[in-house]
Amino acid sequence: DSGVTQTPKHLITATGQRVTLRCSPRSGDLSVYWYQQSLDQGLQFLIQYYNGEERAKGNILERFSAQQFPDLHSELNLSSLELGDSALYFCARTPEGNQPQHFGDGTRLSIL
Amino acid sequence: DAKTTQPNSMESNEEEPVHLPCNHSTISGTDYIHWYRQLPSQGPEYVIHGLTSNVNNRMASLAIAEDRKSSTLILHRATLRDAAVYYCILREDNQGGKLIFGQGTELSVKP
């Protein structure tokens, strides 16, 4: 058990649409990270939140945004979806930023 | 971000030791060496990490070269469940803990 719950597990939608992916870390885990895994780009870091504040930003498109709520769950919002956004999206948690990360099972997003 | 170099793939026989190499010649003094693996249809899983000294845990051992320019992940007895992509990652403590994944080594284990 990684201590990270991601919902939904699968999401199928169309181009131009908007979706929200949810990540619920274990209680007390302050850091949440989002990663994207696609066939051509591999695993890429998108963004990190620490205790509600954005801590680090990676290769995240402007069409994507994220936030972390007071209960420490996080949401990744993807808008104006394109075919190339089809990928696995992973959330990871740590109690503190420098400890090993524990990943959820991901949300598989398919754009038709 | 400092880069790592790993072989694309390796093969092992079940119940034999496996040594997965990683080169990181541009490693800086504050970089920790992390290993993660990703089993099919799962998220990455933390395996082990270290700074300078060799490390052991229930999953594996990490051997770090004296100059820190290379390291080796050692699985003492490979099982079929160890078939996965293994990632060697350098992580700076002061950069928010983000992980920069390379292509990794795909390990296959033969019965």
Coordinates of all heavy atoms in Angstrom, one line a residue, chain B residues 36-96:
Chain B
Y36 N 14.4 3.7 -8.1 CA 13.0 3.4 -8.1 C 12.8 2.3 -9.2 O 13.6 2.1 -10.1 CB 12.1 4.6 -8.5 CG 11.9 5.6 -7.4 CD1 13.0 6.4 -7.0 CD2 10.7 5.7 -6.7 CE1 12.8 7.3 -6.0 CE2 10.6 6.6 -5.6 CZ 11.6 7.4 -5.3 OH 11.5 8.3 -4.3
R37 N 11.7 1.5 -9.1 CA 11.4 0.6 -10.1 C 9.9 0.7 -10.4 O 9.1 1.2 -9.6 CB 11.7 -0.8 -9.7 CG 10.9 -1.4 -8.6 CD 11.3 -2.9 -8.3 NE 10.4 -3.5 -7.4 CZ 10.6 -4.7 -6.9 NH1 11.6 -5.5 -7.3 NH2 9.7 -5.3 -6.1
Q38 N 9.6 0.3 -11.6 CA 8.2 0.4 -12.0 C 7.8 -1.0 -12.6 O 8.3 -1.4 -13.7 CB 7.9 1.5 -13.1 CG 6.5 1.7 -13.4 CD 6.2 2.9 -14.3 OE1 7.1 3.4 -15.0 NE2 5.0 3.4 -14.3
L39 N 6.9 -1.6 -11.9 CA 6.4 -2.9 -12.4 C 5.3 -2.6 -13.4 O 4.7 -1.5 -13.4 CB 5.8 -3.7 -11.2 CG 6.8 -4.5 -10.4 CD1 7.8 -3.6 -9.6 CD2 6.2 -5.5 -9.4
P40 N 5.0 -3.6 -14.3 CA 4.0 -3.4 -15.3 C 2.6 -2.9 -14.7 O 2.2 -3.5 -13.7 CB 3.9 -4.7 -16.0 CG 5.2 -5.3 -15.8 CD 5.7 -4.9 -14.4
S41 N 2.1 -1.9 -15.3 CA 0.7 -1.4 -14.8 C 0.7 -0.9 -13.4 O -0.4 -0.8 -12.8 CB -0.3 -2.5 -15.0 OG -0.4 -3.0 -16.3
Q42 N 1.8 -0.4 -12.9 CA 1.9 0.2 -11.6 C 2.6 1.5 -11.6 O 3.4 1.8 -12.5 CB 2.5 -0.8 -10.6 CG 1.7 -2.1 -10.3 CD 2.3 -2.9 -9.2 OE1 3.0 -2.4 -8.3 NE2 2.1 -4.2 -9.2
G43 N 2.5 2.2 -10.5 CA 3.3 3.4 -10.4 C 4.7 3.1 -9.9 O 5.0 2.0 -9.4
P44 N 5.7 4.0 -10.1 CA 7.0 3.8 -9.6 C 7.0 3.4 -8.1 O 6.2 3.9 -7.4 CB 7.7 5.1 -9.9 CG 7.0 5.7 -11.0 CD 5.5 5.3 -10.7
E45 N 8.0 2.6 -7.7 CA 8.1 2.1 -6.3 C 9.5 2.4 -5.9 O 10.5 2.1 -6.5 CB 7.9 0.6 -6.3 CG 8.0 0.0 -5.0 CD 7.9 -1.5 -5.0 OE1 8.2 -2.1 -6.1 OE2 7.5 -2.1 -4.0
Y46 N 9.6 3.1 -4.7 CA 10.9 3.4 -4.1 C 11.7 2.1 -3.8 O 11.1 1.1 -3.2 CB 10.8 4.2 -2.9 CG 12.0 4.3 -2.0 CD1 13.1 5.1 -2.4 CD2 12.1 3.6 -0.8 CE1 14.2 5.2 -1.6 CE2 13.3 3.7 -0.1 CZ 14.3 4.5 -0.4 OH 15.4 4.6 0.3
V47 N 13.0 2.0 -4.1 CA 13.8 0.8 -3.8 C 14.8 1.1 -2.7 O 14.8 0.5 -1.7 CB 14.5 0.3 -5.1 CG1 15.4 -0.9 -4.7 CG2 13.5 -0.1 -6.1
I48 N 15.6 2.1 -3.0 CA 16.7 2.4 -2.0 C 17.4 3.7 -2.4 O 17.2 4.2 -3.5 CB 17.8 1.3 -2.1 CG1 18.7 1.2 -0.9 CG2 18.6 1.3 -3.4 CD1 19.5 -0.1 -0.8
H49 N 18.1 4.4 -1.5 CA 18.9 5.5 -1.8 C 20.1 5.7 -0.9 O 20.1 5.1 0.2 CB 18.0 6.8 -1.8 CG 17.7 7.4 -0.4 ND1 16.8 6.8 0.4 CD2 18.2 8.4 0.3 CE1 16.7 7.5 1.5 NE2 17.6 8.5 1.5
G50 N 21.0 6.4 -1.4 CA 22.3 6.6 -0.6 C 23.0 7.9 -1.0 O 22.7 8.4 -2.1
L51 N 24.0 8.3 -0.2 CA 24.8 9.4 -0.5 C 26.2 9.1 -0.9 O 26.7 9.3 -1.9 CB 24.8 10.4 0.6 CG 25.5 11.8 0.4 CD1 24.9 12.5 -0.8 CD2 25.5 12.6 1.7
T52 N 26.9 8.4 0.1 CA 28.3 8.0 -0.1 C 28.5 6.6 0.2 O 29.3 5.9 -0.4 CB 29.2 8.9 0.7 OG1 28.8 8.8 2.1 CG2 29.2 10.4 0.3
S53 N 27.9 6.1 1.3 CA 28.2 4.8 1.8 C 27.3 3.8 1.2 O 26.2 4.1 0.7 CB 28.0 4.7 3.3 OG 28.9 5.6 4.0
N54 N 27.7 2.5 1.1 CA 26.8 1.5 0.6 C 25.6 1.3 1.6 O 25.7 1.5 2.8 CB 27.6 0.2 0.5 CG 28.7 0.2 -0.5 OD1 28.7 1.1 -1.4 ND2 29.6 -0.7 -0.5
V55 N 24.5 0.9 1.0 CA 23.3 0.8 1.8 C 22.6 -0.5 1.5 O 22.7 -1.0 0.4 CB 22.3 2.0 1.3 CG1 21.0 2.0 2.2 CG2 23.0 3.3 1.4
N56 N 22.0 -1.0 2.5 CA 21.2 -2.3 2.4 C 19.8 -2.1 3.0 O 19.6 -1.4 4.0 CB 21.9 -3.4 3.2 CG 23.3 -3.7 2.7 OD1 23.5 -4.1 1.5 ND2 24.3 -3.4 3.5
N57 N 18.8 -2.6 2.3 CA 17.5 -2.7 2.9 C 16.9 -4.1 2.5 O 17.6 -4.9 1.9 CB 16.6 -1.5 2.6 CG 16.3 -1.4 1.1 OD1 16.3 -2.4 0.4 ND2 15.9 -0.3 0.7
R58 N 15.6 -4.3 2.9 CA 15.0 -5.6 2.6 C 14.8 -5.9 1.1 O 14.7 -7.0 0.7 CB 13.7 -5.7 3.3 CG 12.6 -4.7 2.8 CD 11.3 -4.9 3.5 NE 10.3 -4.0 3.0 CZ 9.6 -4.1 1.8 NH1 9.9 -5.2 1.1 NH2 8.8 -3.2 1.4
M59 N 14.9 -4.8 0.3 CA 14.6 -5.0 -1.1 C 15.9 -5.3 -1.9 O 16.0 -6.1 -2.8 CB 13.9 -3.9 -1.7 CG 12.5 -3.7 -1.3 SD 11.7 -2.3 -2.1 CE 11.6 -2.9 -3.8
A60 N 17.0 -4.5 -1.5 CA 18.2 -4.5 -2.3 C 19.4 -3.9 -1.6 O 19.2 -3.5 -0.4 CB 17.9 -3.7 -3.6
S61 N 20.5 -3.9 -2.3 CA 21.7 -3.2 -1.8 C 22.1 -2.2 -2.8 O 21.9 -2.4 -4.0 CB 22.8 -4.2 -1.5 OG 22.5 -5.1 -0.5
L62 N 22.7 -1.1 -2.3 CA 23.2 -0.1 -3.2 C 24.7 0.0 -3.0 O 25.1 0.3 -1.8 CB 22.5 1.2 -3.0 CG 23.0 2.4 -3.8 CD1 22.9 2.2 -5.3 CD2 22.2 3.7 -3.3
A63 N 25.5 -0.2 -4.0 CA 26.9 0.0 -3.9 C 27.3 1.3 -4.6 O 27.0 1.4 -5.8 CB 27.6 -1.2 -4.5
I64 N 28.0 2.2 -3.9 CA 28.4 3.5 -4.5 C 29.9 3.5 -4.6 O 30.6 3.3 -3.7 CB 27.9 4.6 -3.6 CG1 26.4 4.5 -3.5 CG2 28.3 6.0 -4.2 CD1 25.8 5.5 -2.5
A65 N 30.3 3.9 -5.8 CA 31.8 4.0 -6.1 C 32.4 5.1 -5.2 O 31.7 6.0 -4.8 CB 32.0 4.3 -7.5
E66 N 33.7 4.9 -4.9 CA 34.3 5.8 -4.0 C 34.3 7.3 -4.5 O 34.1 8.2 -3.8 CB 35.8 5.4 -3.8 CG 36.5 6.0 -2.6 CD 37.8 5.4 -2.3 OE1 38.0 4.2 -2.6 OE2 38.7 6.1 -1.8
D67 N 34.4 7.4 -5.9 CA 34.3 8.8 -6.5 C 32.9 9.2 -6.7 O 32.7 10.3 -7.3 CB 35.2 8.9 -7.7 CG 34.7 8.0 -8.8 OD1 33.6 7.3 -8.6 OD2 35.3 7.9 -9.9
R68 N 31.9 8.4 -6.4 CA 30.5 8.6 -6.6 C 30.1 8.8 -8.0 O 29.0 9.3 -8.3 CB 30.0 9.8 -5.8 CG 30.3 9.6 -4.3 CD 29.4 10.4 -3.4 NE 28.9 11.7 -3.8 CZ 27.6 12.0 -3.9 NH1 26.7 11.1 -3.6 NH2 27.2 13.2 -4.4
K69 N 30.9 8.5 -9.0 CA 30.5 8.7 -10.4 C 29.7 7.5 -10.9 O 29.3 7.6 -12.1 CB 31.8 9.0 -11.2 CG 32.5 10.3 -10.9 CD 33.7 10.5 -11.8 CE 34.4 11.8 -11.4 NZ 33.6 13.0 -11.5
S70 N 29.6 6.5 -10.2 CA 28.8 5.4 -10.6 C 28.2 4.6 -9.4 O 28.7 4.8 -8.2 CB 29.6 4.4 -11.4 OG 30.6 3.8 -10.7
S71 N 27.2 3.9 -9.6 CA 26.6 3.1 -8.5 C 26.0 1.8 -9.1 O 25.8 1.7 -10.3 CB 25.6 3.8 -7.7 OG 24.5 4.2 -8.6
T72 N 25.7 0.8 -8.3 CA 25.2 -0.4 -8.7 C 24.1 -0.9 -7.8 O 24.3 -0.9 -6.5 CB 26.2 -1.6 -8.7 OG1 27.3 -1.1 -9.6 CG2 25.7 -2.9 -9.3
L73 N 22.9 -1.2 -8.3 CA 21.8 -1.7 -7.5 C 21.9 -3.2 -7.6 O 22.1 -3.8 -8.7 CB 20.5 -1.3 -8.1 CG 19.3 -1.8 -7.3 CD1 19.1 -1.2 -6.0 CD2 18.0 -1.6 -8.1
I74 N 21.9 -3.9 -6.4 CA 22.1 -5.3 -6.4 C 20.8 -6.0 -5.8 O 20.4 -5.6 -4.7 CB 23.3 -5.7 -5.5 CG1 24.6 -5.0 -6.0 CG2 23.5 -7.2 -5.4 CD1 25.7 -5.0 -5.0
L75 N 20.3 -6.8 -6.6 CA 19.2 -7.7 -6.2 C 19.8 -9.0 -5.9 O 20.4 -9.7 -6.8 CB 18.1 -7.8 -7.2 CG 17.5 -6.5 -7.8 CD1 16.5 -6.8 -8.9 CD2 16.9 -5.6 -6.7
H76 N 19.7 -9.5 -4.7 CA 20.5 -10.6 -4.3 C 20.0 -11.9 -4.8 O 20.8 -12.8 -5.2 CB 20.6 -10.7 -2.7 CG 21.3 -9.5 -2.2 ND1 22.7 -9.4 -2.3 CD2 20.9 -8.4 -1.5 CE1 23.1 -8.2 -1.7 NE2 22.0 -7.6 -1.3
R77 N 18.7 -12.1 -5.0 CA 18.1 -13.3 -5.6 C 16.9 -12.8 -6.4 O 15.9 -12.5 -5.8 CB 17.7 -14.3 -4.5 CG 18.8 -15.2 -4.1 CD 18.3 -16.2 -3.0 NE 17.6 -17.3 -3.6 CZ 16.4 -17.7 -3.3 NH1 15.6 -17.0 -2.5 NH2 15.9 -18.8 -3.9
A78 N 17.1 -12.7 -7.7 CA 16.0 -12.2 -8.5 C 14.8 -13.2 -8.5 O 15.0 -14.4 -8.6 CB 16.5 -12.0 -10.0
T79 N 13.7 -12.6 -8.5 CA 12.4 -13.4 -8.6 C 11.7 -12.9 -9.9 O 12.0 -11.8 -10.4 CB 11.5 -13.3 -7.4 OG1 11.0 -12.0 -7.4 CG2 12.3 -13.6 -6.1
L80 N 10.7 -13.7 -10.3 CA 9.9 -13.2 -11.5 C 9.2 -11.9 -11.2 O 9.0 -11.1 -12.1 CB 8.9 -14.3 -11.8 CG 9.5 -15.6 -12.3 CD1 8.4 -16.6 -12.6 CD2 10.4 -15.5 -13.5
R81 N 8.9 -11.6 -9.9 CA 8.3 -10.4 -9.6 C 9.2 -9.2 -9.6 O 8.7 -8.0 -9.5 CB 7.6 -10.5 -8.2 CG 6.4 -11.4 -8.1 CD 5.9 -11.5 -6.7 NE 6.9 -12.2 -5.8 CZ 6.7 -12.4 -4.5 NH1 5.6 -11.9 -4.0 NH2 7.6 -12.9 -3.8
D82 N 10.5 -9.4 -9.8 CA 11.4 -8.3 -9.9 C 11.5 -7.8 -11.3 O 12.2 -6.8 -11.6 CB 12.8 -8.8 -9.4 CG 12.9 -9.0 -7.9 OD1 12.2 -8.2 -7.2 OD2 13.6 -9.9 -7.5
A83 N 10.9 -8.4 -12.3 CA 10.9 -7.9 -13.6 C 10.2 -6.6 -13.7 O 9.0 -6.4 -13.3 CB 10.2 -8.9 -14.6
A84 N 10.9 -5.5 -14.1 CA 10.4 -4.2 -14.0 C 11.4 -3.3 -14.7 O 12.5 -3.7 -15.1 CB 10.3 -3.7 -12.6
V85 N 11.1 -2.0 -14.8 CA 12.0 -1.0 -15.3 C 12.6 -0.3 -14.0 O 11.9 0.1 -13.2 CB 11.3 0.1 -16.2 CG1 12.3 1.2 -16.6 CG2 10.7 -0.6 -17.4
Y86 N 13.9 -0.3 -14.0 CA 14.6 0.2 -12.8 C 15.3 1.6 -13.2 O 16.0 1.7 -14.2 CB 15.7 -0.7 -12.4 CG 15.2 -1.9 -11.7 CD1 14.6 -3.0 -12.4 CD2 15.1 -2.0 -10.3 CE1 14.0 -4.1 -11.8 CE2 14.6 -3.1 -9.6 CZ 14.0 -4.1 -10.4 OH 13.5 -5.2 -9.7
Y87 N 14.9 2.6 -12.4 CA 15.4 4.0 -12.6 C 16.4 4.4 -11.6 O 16.2 4.2 -10.4 CB 14.2 4.9 -12.6 CG 13.2 4.7 -13.6 CD1 12.0 4.0 -13.3 CD2 13.3 5.3 -14.9 CE1 11.0 3.9 -14.3 CE2 12.3 5.1 -15.9 CZ 11.2 4.4 -15.5 OH 10.2 4.2 -16.5
C88 N 17.5 4.9 -12.1 CA 18.6 5.5 -11.2 C 18.4 7.0 -11.3 O 18.4 7.5 -12.4 CB 19.9 5.0 -11.7 SG 21.4 5.8 -11.0
I89 N 18.3 7.7 -10.2 CA 17.9 9.1 -10.2 C 18.8 9.8 -9.3 O 19.0 9.4 -8.1 CB 16.4 9.3 -9.9 CG1 15.5 8.6 -10.8 CG2 16.1 10.8 -9.8 CD1 14.1 8.4 -10.3
L90 N 19.3 11.0 -9.7 CA 20.0 11.9 -8.7 C 19.1 12.9 -8.3 O 18.4 13.5 -9.0 CB 21.2 12.5 -9.4 CG 22.3 11.6 -10.0 CD1 23.4 12.4 -10.6 CD2 22.8 10.6 -9.0
R91 N 19.1 13.1 -7.0 CA 18.1 14.1 -6.4 C 18.8 15.0 -5.4 O 19.5 14.6 -4.5 CB 17.0 13.4 -5.7 CG 15.8 14.2 -5.4 CD 14.7 13.4 -4.8 NE 14.5 13.8 -3.4 CZ 13.6 13.3 -2.6 NH1 12.9 12.3 -3.0 NH2 13.6 13.7 -1.3
E92 N 18.7 16.3 -5.7 CA 19.3 17.3 -4.8 C 18.3 17.5 -3.6 O 17.1 17.7 -3.8 CB 19.5 18.6 -5.5 CG 20.6 18.5 -6.5 CD 21.0 19.9 -7.0 OE1 20.8 20.9 -6.3 OE2 21.5 20.0 -8.1
D93 N 18.9 17.6 -2.4 CA 18.0 17.8 -1.3 C 17.4 19.2 -1.3 O 16.3 19.3 -0.7 CB 18.9 17.7 0.0 CG 18.9 16.3 0.5 OD1 18.3 15.5 -0.1 OD2 19.6 16.1 1.5
N94 N 18.0 20.2 -1.9 CA 17.4 21.5 -1.8 C 16.5 21.9 -3.0 O 16.3 23.0 -3.3 CB 18.5 22.5 -1.6 CG 19.5 22.5 -2.8 OD1 19.4 21.7 -3.7 ND2 20.4 23.5 -2.9
Q95 N 16.1 20.9 -3.8 CA 15.3 21.2 -5.0 C 13.9 20.6 -4.8 O 13.3 20.2 -5.8 CB 16.0 20.7 -6.2 CG 17.2 21.6 -6.6 CD 17.5 21.4 -8.1 OE1 17.0 20.5 -8.8 NE2 18.4 22.3 -8.6
G96 N 13.3 20.6 -3.7 CA 11.9 20.2 -3.5 C 11.7 18.8 -3.7 O 10.5 18.3 -3.7

